[in-house]
Amino acid sequence: MSEIILTNQLLSRQAFKEQCGIELNQLKDIHGRTPEFAIGNTPYLLEPPSPGHNNSNVAGLSALNQLAPMYISRDLANLSLSIGSENVLALAELRKKLYEFGVGSIGASTSFHGDRVSGFLKAVQNYQDALMHYREAIEAKSPHKLAAE
């Protein structure tokens, strides 16, 4: 499995080595080249130690191409730095599972929430009607005022 490295700041070779414990020559950019320095909000593929993993490199480079737009890589880097890479992977798996459920799950959840909202709106309407009757009784100064209170 490929590993993707993200940073939110510009790092020289030395700073990258000190902060990550990884040499820059182990990384590949979206064009398959080794970077001279790590550019913030740019995804990099960490090459496996053995050269026999060409399939994972193709998959990794494909993933890099999907993450390459700045708005995606910036948000992903900030999210990963905020909640951790394991949680980001868990969220991605959850999103994938929810996507597989498709429109059917959306319809079912809409129906469920629609029923709950409908019940709540009916309760609010009944409460408003009771308040309006009480108001009418007070304004009319009817004998029902005492009963309404």
Side-chain angles (χ1 to χ4, degrees):
M1 179 172 196
S2 301
E3 276 191 70
I4 295 176
I5 304 295
L6 293 165
T7 181
N8 64 349
Q9 56 186 324
L10 180 68
L11 296 172
S12 66
R13 283 187 177 276
Q14 184 63 29
F16 190 80
K17 171 81 170 150
E18 289 172 3
Q19 290 187 19
C20 302
I22 301 170
E23 294 286 340
L24 273 179
N25 59 4
Q26 294 177 285
L27 302 182
K28 295 288 183 194
D29 64 10
I30 62 170
H31 304 291
R33 298 180 302 226
T34 301
E36 291 299 316
F37 48 89
I39 300 171
N41 301 318
T42 301
Y44 294 101
L45 179 67
L46 179 63
E47 287 190 322
S50 63
H53 290 90
N54 289 337
N55 291 339
S56 65
N57 283 344
V58 171
L61 289 174
S62 173
L64 282 185
N65 284 325
Q66 294 175 22
L67 299 175
M70 181 62 75
Y71 69 95
I72 294 175
S73 59
R74 180 187 61 236
D75 290 348
L76 186 59
N78 290 335
L79 186 64
S80 181
L81 291 170
S82 297
I83 66 172
S85 60
E86 293 84 12
N87 290 332
V88 170
L89 290 174
L91 285 173
E93 284 294 320
L94 178 65
R95 184 182 179 279
K96 179 182 174 188
K97 293 292 182 192
L98 288 175
Y99 183 76
E100 290 171 359
F101 285 124
V103 177
S105 65
I106 294 170
S109 66
T110 302
S111 174
F112 171 74
H113 290 295
D115 291 344
R116 292 191 66 180
V117 169
S118 176
F120 177 73
L121 290 176
K122 286 179 185 175
V124 169
Q125 184 65 43
N126 290 339
Y127 182 69
Q128 184 179 7
D129 290 343
L131 286 176
M132 292 305 289
H133 286 356
Y134 180 70
R135 179 180 173 201
E136 289 172 6
I138 290 175
E139 288 176 350
K141 296 185 182 181
S142 71
H144 296 288
K145 178 181 176 184
L146 295 174
E149 290 179 358

